């Protein structure tokens, strides 16, 4: 039987539409539905994308839709919400975005949707937790983009520094997608070589870590929002799901005892396939790294405790 790969994007702003445009250019699905509280915006975006089909590698059906269109979707991407302002922390966004999610998740559930939620809205680890809580879905079916973008930034910056393609850099940013995120330097390699053995310049590595952490602030300062990177990160995760890849990506996944944490979402290396998160890959941290990862998870736990009360 023909397997129609269907993706719905809720929130057709910069992030949602960067995802849509990347899906189209990478021919990543067969049907793409756009939903926004501003239905005119979604309608105009669908028209604009449809006008590029003649030049695209894809035969994609694209339209602006309603929540009832979510019923037979494979993946719902949520990129709806308010954007991070200069100087505003991701946690500051939480209250406003929680209200937005309350108005989205229920109509999606009412449609009969049984696929996978993929969350981009910030603070993404907390919004993923809220989605799991509001939907009642299994932990494997609610995924956040987590530190996938931060990991891509690290791979780019390390590759640039070492003059090696980012595709051959294996290095991970874990924990919160935000200020408490951390890098597992002890596990980082360029091809077969450990980064710590080929680069003795600890100040340079520290600068790279800071540039990764503050990249979003820097971009927001320059152009008000970040979207191409996250659009591509979303498509990377979508392809891993739709093509049943079993790829390891640092998404935000629900910790259920892994690394000693339970009941939070955090960026961790996870095996992604048609069922969502198949499993979380545990890491042997260096001692100082485990402390940083624990601090980051404790911060996420305390934020969740605040929204529960
Ligand atoms: P944007 O303002 O351009 O778009 C947001 C869209 O959401 C708007 O079109 C708006 O109409 C829509 N929306 C608002 N309330 C809605 C509702 N109740 N129902 C449906 N649609 C609704 O913002 P953006 O730049 O696209 O950013 C979107 C989110 O993505 C923000 O939370 C931002 O912080 C986050 N983001 C995440 C990452 C990441 O790594 N996870 C990276 C960049 C941005």
């Amino acid at each position: 039987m023909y397997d129609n790969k269907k993706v719905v994007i809720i929130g057709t702003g910069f992030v949602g539409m960067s995802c849509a445009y990347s899906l189209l250019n990478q021919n990543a699905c067969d049907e793409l539905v756009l939903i926004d509280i501003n239905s005119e915006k979604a309608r105009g975006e669908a028209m604009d994308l449809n006008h590029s089909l003649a030049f695209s590698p894809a035969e994609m059906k694209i339209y602006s839709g309603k929540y009832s269109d979510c019923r037979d979707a494979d993946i719902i991407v949520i990129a709806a919400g308010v954007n991070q302002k200069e100087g505003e922390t991701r946690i500051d966004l939480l209250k406003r975005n929680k209200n937005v999610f309350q108005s989205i998740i229920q109509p999606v559930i009412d449609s009969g949707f049984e696929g996978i939620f993929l969350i981009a809205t910030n603070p993404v680890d907390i919004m993923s937790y809220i989605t799991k809580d509001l939907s009642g879905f299994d932990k494997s079916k609610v995924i956040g983009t987590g530190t996938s973008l931060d990991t891509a930034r690290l791979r780019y910056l390390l590759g640039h520094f070492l003059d090696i393609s980012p595709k051959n850099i294996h290095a991970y940013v874990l924990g919160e997608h935000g200020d408490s995120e951390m890098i597992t330097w002890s596990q980082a390699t360029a091809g077969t070589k450990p980064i710590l053995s080929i680069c003795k310049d600890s100040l340079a590595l520290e600068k790279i870590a800071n540039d990764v952490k503050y990249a979003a602030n820097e971009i927001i300062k320059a152009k008000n929002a970040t979207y191409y990177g996250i659009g591509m990160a979303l498509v990377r995760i979508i392809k891993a799901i739709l093509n049943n890849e079993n790829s390891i990506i640092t998404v935000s996944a629900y910790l259920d005892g892994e690394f000693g944490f339970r009941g939070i979402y955090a960026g961790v290396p996870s095996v992604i396939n048609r069922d969502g998160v198949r499993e979380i890959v545990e890491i042997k941290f260096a001692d100082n790294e485990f402390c940083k990862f624990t601090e980051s998870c404790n911060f996420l736990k305390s934020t969740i405790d605040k929204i529960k009360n």
Side-chain angles (χ1 to χ4, degrees):
M1 202 183 76
Y2 174 63
D3 177 25
N4 182 55
K5 293 173 178 164
K6 179 171 176 179
V7 175
V8 177
I9 296 179
I10 304 177
T12 59
F14 288 112
V15 171
M17 289 317 298
S18 298
C19 174
Y21 192 58
S22 305
L23 283 171
L24 183 55
N25 279 305
Q26 295 185 43
N27 197 4
C29 63
D30 303 302
E31 192 173 344
L32 174 62
V33 186
L34 304 177
I35 298 177
D36 199 286
I37 197 168
N38 179 350
S39 55
E40 266 304 281
K41 167 101 165 82
R43 190 176 76 86
E45 294 288 6
M47 285 176 71
D48 202 1
L49 286 186
N50 275 321
H51 298 166
S52 68
L53 275 175
F55 312 119
S56 150
E59 301 291 337
M60 203 178 280
K61 184 175 170 191
I62 304 169
Y63 54 98
S64 59
K66 306 175 293 303
Y67 280 103
S68 56
D69 295 311
C70 297
R71 188 185 60 79
D72 58 348
D74 296 292
I75 300 173
I76 296 201
V77 175
I78 308 185
V82 279
N83 213 349
Q84 192 179 9
K85 302 272 182 323
E86 193 183 335
E88 186 182 41
T89 69
R90 290 188 172 98
I91 302 300
D92 291 336
L93 290 172
L94 181 54
K95 274 214 170 96
R96 289 188 287 151
N97 281 335
K98 191 179 174 196
N99 292 339
V100 169
F101 272 41
Q102 269 160 342
S103 73
I104 291 172
I105 306 292
Q106 194 54 50
V108 171
I109 300 300
D110 292 346
S111 76
F113 172 69
E114 289 182 336
I116 293 170
F117 280 106
L118 176 55
I119 312 303
T121 305
N122 276 322
V124 70
D125 305 294
I126 309 297
M127 298 318 296
S128 303
Y129 177 90
I130 287 172
T131 303
K132 182 180 179 302
D133 195 40
L134 292 174
S135 66
F137 272 32
D138 186 80
K139 62 184 179 183
S140 60
K141 305 280 184 203
V142 181
I143 307 174
T145 50
T147 44
S148 58
L149 175 58
D150 316 72
T151 294
R153 287 172 174 155
L154 173 63
R155 291 171 67 190
Y156 162 71
L157 288 170
L158 268 177
H160 186 70
F161 178 67
L162 298 169
D163 202 15
I164 298 282
S165 164
K167 294 182 179 64
N168 296 113
I169 303 289
H170 304 284
Y172 299 101
V173 181
L174 303 186
E176 181 209 6
H177 169 59
D179 293 350
S180 71
E181 69 187 29
M182 51 80 62
I183 296 171
T184 53
W185 287 115
S186 66
Q187 311 287 317
T189 60
T192 56
K193 301 229 187 295
I195 299 280
L196 292 181
S197 76
I198 54 175
C199 177
K200 300 288 180 200
D201 185 349
S202 59
L203 282 179
L205 296 186
E206 207 175 296
K207 178 171 184 330
I208 287 174
N210 267 315
D211 288 351
V212 169
K213 187 181 288 189
Y214 299 114
N217 292 9
E218 186 79 18
I219 298 170
I220 289 167
K221 215 161 140 189
K223 55 172 242 180
N224 293 325
T226 84
Y227 36 92
Y228 299 129
I230 186 63
M232 293 284 274
L234 281 162
V235 174
R236 179 69 199 91
I237 300 166
I238 289 169
K239 285 167 86 173
I241 296 169
L242 294 178
N243 300 330
N244 201 24
E245 283 183 20
N246 292 306
S247 285
I248 297 177
I249 307 177
T250 51
V251 296
S252 190
Y254 185 79
L255 299 187
D256 206 2
E258 294 88 354
F259 305 105
F261 283 90
R262 202 176 290 280
I264 60 165
Y265 270 82
V268 284
S270 309
V271 181
I272 306 294
N273 68 15
R274 204 76 171 86
D275 299 320
V277 175
R278 190 191 79 191
E279 66 181 273
I280 291 168
V281 183
E282 294 214 44
I283 285 185
K284 198 170 175 314
F285 288 110
D287 286 350
N288 64 332
E289 292 169 356
F290 187 66
C291 284
K292 284 184 184 164
F293 180 75
T294 299
E295 270 171 30
S296 190
C297 289
N298 281 336
F299 172 73
L300 289 167
K301 180 123 192 70
S302 71
T303 309
I304 288 170
D305 289 344
K306 275 183 211 142
I307 57 167
K308 273 188 188 158
N309 301 328

